Amino acid sequence: MTVLHDSPRTARLWPVLVLALVGAAAGWRAWPAPPAGAPVWPPPPDVARIRFVTAIAEPKDVGAGGSWLGRAASAILGRKRQPRIVRPRAMAVDHSGRLLVADPEQRIVHVFDVAGRKYSYLEPAPFASPVGIAVGPDDAIYVTDSERRRVFVYGPNGKLRNTLGVRGGEPVFVRPTGIAVGPDGRLHVVDTVACTITTMTTRGDVVRVVGQRGAGDGEFNYPTDIAVGRDNRVWVVDSLNARLQVLDADGRFVRRFGRRGNGTGDIDKPKGVALDSDGHVYVAEGMHDVVQIFDQEGRLLLVVGASGNGRGQFCLPAGVSMDAADRLYVADALNGRVQVFQYIRQPDAR
């Protein structure tokens, strides 16, 4: 995988770097070492670039003991909370290393604290269908609810802080799904049914809405997910057009790549997108049960995974996320777990 380099912006990035260092001290080093014989991609004798780390489905997977939440599960709209992942859709990691998992099947967001060996969930949980999640620079947590047509905002303490998505008494969204926070602090929300991308302030003020249904440049056909690069470019999973589209910081079309098919590198049913620190683009491919890795121009670099329920195998990967330590999280939806991988940087590669 080609290593891409950003020009230094030390002054602007200093607060983020401080938070990253604090997060590393608080929890990111607490992740377990990969198990013996853990799969890597590409396999030997090639140099490994992605390594399997672990899989998380329930509290014991992060060292948490028997949870009182499991014994005192409360009702959510007629359903029972379970202290385990049932069908993950999206993930995010805060600066202390806590893994947040949106689980629309249970209508909750799980919180796995690796460093503290604890499990909890966001509450109160007003969710009908939490499908997207992102963390802001101040560790505010943003959760999209596709049925309630809102973005719920939580503080780092896990308590509900605000609700976004209403303007003049009317809903802003038709069906909000993917969400991302850019380096400039703005929220970018995918509206799947409206086929638009809405950019908002953290107070909920709408900055712009771009897109419409179609197959042209800057048009979408039921988009599902979104990621924002360090340059504030926006990467959109244009799902039913079987492609990714890239928009600049002002919402203007930059490029697109991908095509429908069943060959290596084809994007038939893209579900999620994430970027690592070197700018590589990770795409969850639901049809073929793999994560495909591309460069910024859309050239295929590596394919991770296969169908199954073993380590590094998937059954409908529904979303991907990257943390500041270049750990890759994959929502392995029908296996009811999140799999964790490590991107192995090679700074001397060109």
Side-chain angles (χ1 to χ4, degrees):
M1 294 166 66
T2 304
V3 176
L4 309 177
H5 296 278
D6 288 333
S7 55
R9 294 188 292 271
T10 305
R12 211 185 323 177
L13 291 176
W14 179 246
V16 176
L17 292 172
V18 170
L19 283 170
L21 290 171
V22 171
W28 291 340
R29 292 175 183 169
W31 282 89
V40 297
W41 294 265
D46 291 326
V47 176
R49 307 309 305 275
I50 302 290
R51 182 184 301 278
F52 173 85
V53 176
T54 191
I56 296 173
E58 52 190 331
K60 69 179 181 63
D61 295 328
V62 296
S67 173
W68 63 269
L69 291 172
R71 298 188 296 271
S74 57
I76 305 177
L77 301 177
R79 298 188 181 188
K80 294 290 186 180
R81 286 191 179 106
Q82 298 180 48
R84 65 166 293 115
I85 298 170
V86 174
R87 185 171 293 194
R89 172 62 177 81
M91 304 124 311
V93 177
D94 67 13
H95 290 102
S96 64
R98 298 185 305 168
L99 173 63
L100 312 164
V101 183
D103 185 347
E105 184 73 16
Q106 295 208 78
R107 303 180 180 180
I108 61 175
V109 173
H110 305 275
V111 182
F112 293 93
D113 185 344
V114 180
R117 297 187 176 185
K118 298 176 182 178
Y119 167 83
S120 60
Y121 49 80
L122 298 184
E123 59 179 347
F127 309 120
S129 180
V131 295
I133 188 164
V135 175
D138 60 349
D139 266 343
I141 303 164
Y142 301 89
V143 183
T144 56
D145 190 309
S146 61
E147 289 188 20
R148 296 199 61 187
R149 303 165 69 178
R150 300 287 190 274
V151 176
F152 294 101
V153 187
Y154 286 77
N157 61 357
K159 302 300 182 182
L160 186 63
R161 177 189 287 177
N162 198 7
T163 302
L164 311 179
V166 179
R167 182 171 54 183
E170 296 296 322
V172 171
F173 308 110
V174 179
R175 187 167 289 271
T177 52
I179 186 169
V181 182
D184 59 4
R186 289 180 171 177
L187 308 179
H188 303 271
V189 183
V190 176
D191 193 327
T192 295
V193 172
C195 298
T196 58
I197 308 300
T198 299
T199 299
M200 314 173 71
T201 68
T202 54
R203 298 188 305 272
D205 301 322
V206 175
V207 176
R208 63 175 171 270
V209 179
V210 299
Q212 61 182 8
R213 190 172 184 187
D217 294 345
E219 297 178 337
F220 307 103
N221 191 5
Y222 287 81
T224 56
D225 199 20
I226 195 166
V228 184
R230 293 179 176 180
D231 55 2
N232 280 304
R233 283 189 174 185
V234 177
W235 299 73
V236 182
V237 176
D238 190 5
S239 189
L240 293 192
N241 279 329
R243 65 187 183 184
L244 264 72
Q245 292 202 65
V246 187
L247 310 177
D248 69 13
D250 295 316
R252 295 184 292 257
F253 173 82
V254 175
R255 74 172 64 91
R256 62 184 182 183
F257 67 85
R259 63 180 184 182
R260 196 178 310 280
N262 59 8
T264 300
D266 289 340
I267 304 177
D268 197 80
K269 292 291 186 294
K271 298 291 186 180
V273 62
L275 303 174
D276 67 24
S277 62
D278 287 327
H280 304 121
V281 185
Y282 296 70
V283 180
E285 223 303 317
M287 175 64 71
H288 307 300
D289 292 329
V290 296
V291 174
Q292 300 187 106
I293 308 173
F294 299 87
D295 68 11
Q296 296 254 325
E297 302 299 321
R299 292 181 288 260
L300 180 68
L301 301 175
L302 189 62
V303 177
V304 174
S307 297
N309 58 12
R311 293 171 177 169
Q313 297 178 334
F314 309 113
C315 189
L316 186 61
V320 287
S321 182
M322 269 281 179
D323 70 16
D326 274 333
R327 269 184 292 267
L328 169 68
Y329 303 82
V330 182
D332 191 4
L334 297 188
N335 281 326
R337 63 187 181 181
V338 171
Q339 294 200 65
V340 186
F341 303 81
Q342 180 68 56
Y343 165 50
I344 304 168
R345 299 191 68 202
Q346 295 187 344
D348 293 335
R350 295 291 188 269

